C-alpha cells in the first residue's frame, strides 16, 4: 500500500464545504481504531470526506445516460449492484469532457448495494441472480486510480445506517487503486444485504467509459464489475503513487 504524501493533504478540501446540518453524524467513532490491526491500517490511510459535504455540478451524460448500472460478480454469482456517475464541480451546467477547460476535477461516485438494489427487474434484485450477503468488508478499485487528486470519501450517514455508530472506514491505496475498508468496530453489526453505501473519489482525468475496474469483498470472496473509469494516463499524477513521507 502507498501512503499519501503530506503535501497532498490540502487537496482533500477541494470540492468540500462545511456542512452544518449533519451534526447528528459528526460525533461518532468512524475514525477510531479499536485493534492493533486497525491502528496499523489507519497509519497508512487517506483521510476521507463526507459525501454530504460535496457540492457537485452537472453529471456526464454517456451512452447509458447520467448513471451506469452494473453487477459485481464472480463465478459463483452476483454479490452486489453498483450505480455510478461522474460529475463536474458546482456551477458547471453541462459536464462534457470534450469542451471542459484544463484543470477540471471530475468526481466519481459509486453506490454499492450488497446483494441487491431493491429493484425487481435489475441487477441482483428479486427475480434476478440474487445472493444473500451476510458480510461485506470492502469496496475497491482493481486498476490504478489515474489522476487521483487525493480527495476521496464516502457517505457517513449511509455507513452509520448500515453498520452503526461504531463503524470505522479506512481508505488506503493498493497497487495504485483505492480501497475503502469497512469494520464494524465495537458495534457488532456488519455491512450486509441491501444496505447501500456511496463512495466517491476525484480525478483530473475524465472517464473513458465503463471498465471492469471495481470490486467488493463479500461473504469472504471478491466479485468484480464495471463502472466509469478514467483513461490510462501515466502523465497525470496520482495520490496513490505519490512518494511516501514515512521514514
Amino acid at each position: 500500500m502507498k501512503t499519501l504524501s503530506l503535501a497532498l493533504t490540502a487537496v482533500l478540501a477541494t470540492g468540500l464545504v462545511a456542512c452544518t446540518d449533519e451534526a447528528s453524524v459528526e460525533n461518532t467513532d468512524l475514525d477510531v481504531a479499536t485493534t492493533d490491526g486497525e491502528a496499523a491500517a489507519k497509519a497508512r490511510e487517506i483521510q476521507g470526506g463526507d459525501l454530504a459535504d460535496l457540492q457537485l455540478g452537472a453529471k456526464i451524460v454517456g451512452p447509458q445516460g447520467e448513471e451506469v448500472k452494473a453487477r459485481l460478480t464472480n463465478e459463483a454469482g452476483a454479490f452486489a449492484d453498483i450505480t455510478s456517475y461522474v460529475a463536474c464541480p458546482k456551477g458547471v451546467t453541462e459536464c462534457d469532457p470534450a469542451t471542459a477547460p484544463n484543470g477540471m476535477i471530475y468526481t466519481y461516485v459509486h453506490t454499492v448495494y450488497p446483494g441487491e438494489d431493491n429493484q425487481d427487474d435489475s441487477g441482483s434484485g428479486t427475480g434476478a441472480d440474487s445472493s444473500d450477503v451476510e458480510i461485506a468488508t470492502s469496496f475497491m478499485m482493481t486498476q490504478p486510480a489515474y489522476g487521483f487528486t487525493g480527495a476521496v470519501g464516502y457517505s457517513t450517514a449511509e455507513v452509520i445506517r448500515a453498520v452503526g455508530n461504531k463503524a470505522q472506514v479506512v481508505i488506503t491505496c493498493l497497487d495504485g487503486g483505492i480501497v475503502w475498508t469497512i469494520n464494524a468496530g465495537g458495534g457488532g453489526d456488519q455491512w450486509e444485504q441491501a444496505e447501500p453505501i456511496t463512495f466517491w473519489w476525484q480525478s483530473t482525468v475524465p472517464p473513458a467509459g465503463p471498465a471492469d475496474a471495481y470490486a467488493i469483498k463479500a461473504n469472504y470472496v471478491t466479485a468484480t464489475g464495471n463502472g466509469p473509469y478514467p483513461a490510462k494516463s501515466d502523465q497525470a499524477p496520482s495520490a496513490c503513487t505519490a512518494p511516501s513521507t514515512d521514514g
Side-chain angles (χ1 to χ4, degrees), residues 33-61:
T34 59
T35 69
D36 290 343
E38 289 168 7
K42 285 185 67 60
R44 301 186 297 272
E45 79 170 312
I46 303 170
Q47 185 64 43
D50 192 350
L51 177 71
D53 292 341
L54 285 177
Q55 292 192 349
L56 301 178
K59 300 175 183 177
I60 292 177
V61 180

Side-chain angles (χ1 to χ4, degrees), residues 1-4 29-48 154 167-172 181 183 246:
M1 294 186 180
K2 301 286 185 179
T3 306
L4 182 65
D29 292 329
L30 281 172
D31 296 318
V32 177
T34 59
T35 69
D36 290 343
E38 289 168 7
K42 285 185 67 60
R44 301 186 297 272
E45 79 170 312
I46 303 170
Q47 185 64 43
Y154 50 88
Q168 297 110 33
V169 179
V170 178
I171 305 172
T172 53
T181 300
N183 300 305
D246 291 349

Side-chain angles (χ1 to χ4, degrees), residues 61-189:
V61 180
Q64 299 183 39
E66 291 186 340
E67 296 183 339
V68 176
K69 295 187 177 183
R71 297 194 300 172
L72 303 179
T73 67
N74 61 24
E75 62 277 4
F79 285 82
D81 283 354
I82 178 172
T83 298
S84 307
Y85 66 86
V86 181
C88 285
K90 181 182 179 182
V92 177
T93 57
E94 183 178 358
C95 190
D96 183 357
T99 59
N102 292 333
M104 180 70 73
I105 300 296
Y106 300 93
T107 301
Y108 290 72
V109 182
H110 315 278
T111 302
V112 180
Y113 306 78
E116 62 179 326
D117 65 356
N118 298 321
Q119 297 182 30
D120 291 344
D121 59 352
S122 66
S124 305
T126 303
D129 187 6
S130 182
S131 56
D132 184 10
V133 174
E134 296 181 353
I135 179 172
T137 56
S138 60
F139 173 65
M140 69 198 74
M141 298 177 183
T142 60
Q143 297 183 28
Y146 297 111
F148 174 40
T149 67
V152 62
Y154 50 88
S155 169
T156 301
E158 289 176 353
V159 169
I160 291 174
R161 282 196 295 269
V163 189
N165 287 344
K166 298 295 182 179
Q168 297 110 33
V169 179
V170 178
I171 305 172
T172 53
C173 294
L174 178 64
D175 297 329
I178 306 170
V179 181
W180 293 259
T181 300
I182 298 177
N183 300 305
D189 199 359

